[in-house]
Each structure stands twice: as structure tokens, then as C-alpha cells.
Amino acid sequence: MDKQVKLGLPKGSLQDSTFDLFRRAGFKIQLSARSYFPSLDDSELSAVMFRAQEMSRYVEDGVVDAGLTGKDWICENKSDVIEVCELIYSKATAQPAHWVLAVPNESPVQKIEDLQGKIIATELVNVTREYFARKNIDVKVEFSWGATEVKARLLDGIVEITETGSSLRANNLRIIDTLMTSTTRFIANRQAWQDDFKREKIEAIALLLQGAIEGREKVGLKLNLPSDKIDEIIKLLPAEKSPTINHLKDENFIALEVILEEDTARDLVPKLKKMGASGIFTYPLNQVIP
């Protein structure tokens, strides 16, 4: 059999966004109904689906060579793995997820110390116990199998993950404190990392995935402009952006191309048009490799 890297992909809330990320990175990825083994158009890769909550354990144990999971679950499982890179994406937004301590709006609890001797429900048991231990607050932490927001009124409080806070607000809960902020990490097994072939392949995947993240909210902007307007127009561009400039057959005009954040391009286009730019168009980017 040809050399392969065994890749663990998250099943559940991160699944769709992960598949989209791999497609943007240039991979054709498909998953049949009820299957746990996605197909990739790369003979050097094989993939299997695991819950993000258990991924770091399987990577540490060598069941897979590398995988994607949240920093929260690496900490929760105390997994000894290589963190290859951070990938800031999640199920709903491009923002990090937050594990927060929350109580009902009507609760008398106003500060952490008010929870002394109380019961807290969460899926992130170990991290929560360590958090309260650091605060020298004695609480009972119980594992929650789901629907944790409901248990805030049955017990004394919850530790729950949120991206936007909308679910907490919908359940009339308020946040007392944030335990940790978590982003997705691409992790590798330590033994696999020592294998030259596997390490090179894992690093190549990381580069492509980071490029897909970088290109997610950026666009390419191309336009033609009068040569005598170049200095004026360049001043409109963000200071850190260096455009590509090409001279046209007509010496009175030049072509300019630059990569920008999508909202920046949106604001620039009308200004550029007023300054005499023509042939303006933007195009989406799958990847931006630094």
C-alpha cells in the first residue's frame, strides 16, 4: 500500500464548515449517507469521522495521524499532541467559541463566589473543575449529555459553549464569567510527526487550510486607471497592501491588482470610479498563501 496519512475529521457541529474549508483548500471531499469514511481525491490521504470531543484522544493514541478539533477538547482530555496550527473557524461564525459560566436571569448569583457549595452542569467537566479549584470555590460539577441550557434552572448554573450568545439570551441566561476561549486546531500524533513523509504531508495540509482561512473574507480587485492618478489611488489602499501594477499598451493607463478584505473593496470601488478608474471588477479567492 502507498504511504498514507490517516486524517480525523470532526463529525457534528463542525462537519459542514470543515468540509467547506477542505473544498476551499482544493480538495474534493465527499461523504456518503451514514458513512464515517469520507473520500478525498488524494491517494496519500485517508479520512475517518470522529466527534470533536474525542478527536484528541484518538490522535494521541495513533488511531489517526492528524485531526481537527477544538483547543477546548485538547485541554479537557489533557491530550499530548502536536498543535500544528490554529484554524479560526467554527460552526456558525469566523469567531472563536467561548465557554462561559451562566445562570438564569432571575438567579441571586451575581459573582463566582456565590456558587460556593452549588451544582454546575457542563460537558467540559475537567476544565470546569480546574477553573473552580483555581478560584478556591467548592462546587459539584456534573456531566451534561446535552440541553445544558435547560439545566441552569434545575441546578445552580451551567458552563456552556457559545459563539454569539444568542442561545443563552433565548433561554434568559446571563454570563457570570468566561472560562476559556477556544478555536479549532490542526493536531498531529507525536510519532507520526517524526515520520518525514507524514510530517511533510501534514504541514502541506496545514498550509492549504490556513490559505483557505486567509482567503475566506478577501477578494481580488482589478482595475485600469490613468497613469497620472496612480499615487492618488494608492493612497486610498490600506497601508499594508502592495498592489501589482502593469503598464498597458496605451501609456496613459496602467492596470492595478490587489488583494483586500471584502468590505474594504466594497467601500473603495465607488471612490475609485470617481477618480477615473475603469474596468473595475472583484473576484473571490479560495486561498491566500502568505
Side-chain angles (χ1 to χ4, degrees):
M1 179 183 290
D2 293 335
K3 289 185 176 180
Q4 279 193 331
V5 168
K6 294 178 290 184
L7 191 61
L9 300 178
K11 186 173 182 63
S13 61
L14 276 178
Q15 179 175 324
D16 290 344
S17 52
T18 299
F19 276 41
D20 178 66
L21 182 63
F22 269 79
R23 292 184 182 113
R24 291 177 64 89
F27 294 95
K28 292 181 180 178
I29 181 170
Q30 294 181 330
L31 181 66
S32 302
R34 300 185 180 180
S35 174
Y36 283 81
F37 298 93
S39 63
L40 288 157
D41 63 335
D42 187 332
S43 61
E44 295 178 344
L45 289 177
S46 62
V48 61
M49 307 290 295
F50 292 121
R51 299 285 297 183
Q53 291 91 326
E54 57 190 354
M55 183 70 73
S56 66
R57 296 201 304 265
Y58 289 130
V59 172
E60 180 180 11
D61 293 341
V63 176
V64 289
D65 298 311
L68 290 94
T69 189
K71 178 67 175 179
D72 45 2
W73 298 113
I74 301 171
C75 294
E76 175 69 10
N77 297 327
K78 304 183 189 300
S79 297
D80 182 18
V81 294
I82 300 290
E83 289 193 25
V84 182
C85 67
E86 179 182 30
L87 299 169
I88 302 180
Y89 78 100
S90 53
K91 65 178 181 179
T93 70
Q95 302 300 317
H98 304 277
W99 282 92
V100 299
L101 173 63
V103 298
N105 285 333
E106 68 273 15
S107 171
V109 172
Q110 297 297 323
K111 57 186 184 298
I112 305 167
E113 290 76 12
D114 294 339
L115 289 167
Q116 177 74 29
K118 305 297 185 179
I119 301 175
I120 306 295
T122 185
E123 193 177 356
L124 202 72
V125 172
N126 291 328
V127 170
T128 300
R129 285 174 176 160
E130 291 172 358
Y131 165 81
F132 280 102
R134 289 195 304 270
K135 303 286 186 180
N136 293 316
I137 299 171
D138 183 24
V139 299
K140 182 178 181 181
V141 179
E142 293 190 346
F143 179 77
S144 172
W145 289 97
T148 308
E149 293 96 336
V150 175
K151 297 169 186 173
R153 287 181 171 80
L154 301 176
L155 304 175
D156 299 296
I158 61 170
V159 169
E160 180 66 324
I161 193 169
T162 181
E163 290 181 27
T164 64
S166 59
S167 180
L168 295 175
R169 290 191 294 271
N171 285 277
N172 294 313
L173 303 177
R174 56 184 165 87
I175 296 173
I176 299 296
D177 197 11
T178 298
L179 278 69
M180 73 177 300
T181 297
S182 178
T183 55
T184 304
R185 308 298 168 98
F186 188 34
I187 60 175
N189 171 269
R190 289 194 175 275
Q191 186 174 352
W193 195 247
Q194 299 304 314
D195 181 286
D196 290 342
F197 166 77
K198 290 184 178 182
R199 179 168 180 166
E200 183 176 351
K201 189 66 177 179
I202 291 168
E203 288 179 330
I205 296 168
L207 178 68
L208 294 171
L209 294 178
Q210 287 176 300
I213 293 282
E214 186 68 18
R216 183 177 49 196
E217 295 181 357
K218 290 183 170 61
V219 295
L221 171 66
K222 297 183 76 171
L223 60 134
N224 296 330
L225 65 151
S227 301
D228 59 0
K229 294 284 188 180
I230 181 63
D231 291 336
E232 191 177 353
I233 284 180
I234 285 180
K235 288 179 181 178
L236 289 177
L237 303 178
E240 74 278 9
K241 305 301 180 183
S242 179
T244 298
I245 297 173
N246 293 307
H247 293 278
L248 302 178
K249 187 174 181 179
D250 184 341
E251 296 180 355
N252 294 317
F253 287 86
I254 59 174
L256 182 147
E257 183 172 6
V258 66
I259 293 173
L260 299 166
E261 284 71 21
E262 190 170 14
D263 56 352
T264 301
R266 176 197 65 205
D267 295 336
L268 271 176
V269 167
K271 298 176 183 177
L272 293 169
K273 184 65 177 177
K274 284 184 177 180
M275 296 177 67
S278 61
I280 304 171
F281 67 92
T282 62
Y283 53 91
L285 303 168
N286 283 332
Q287 300 177 54
V288 175
I289 307 297

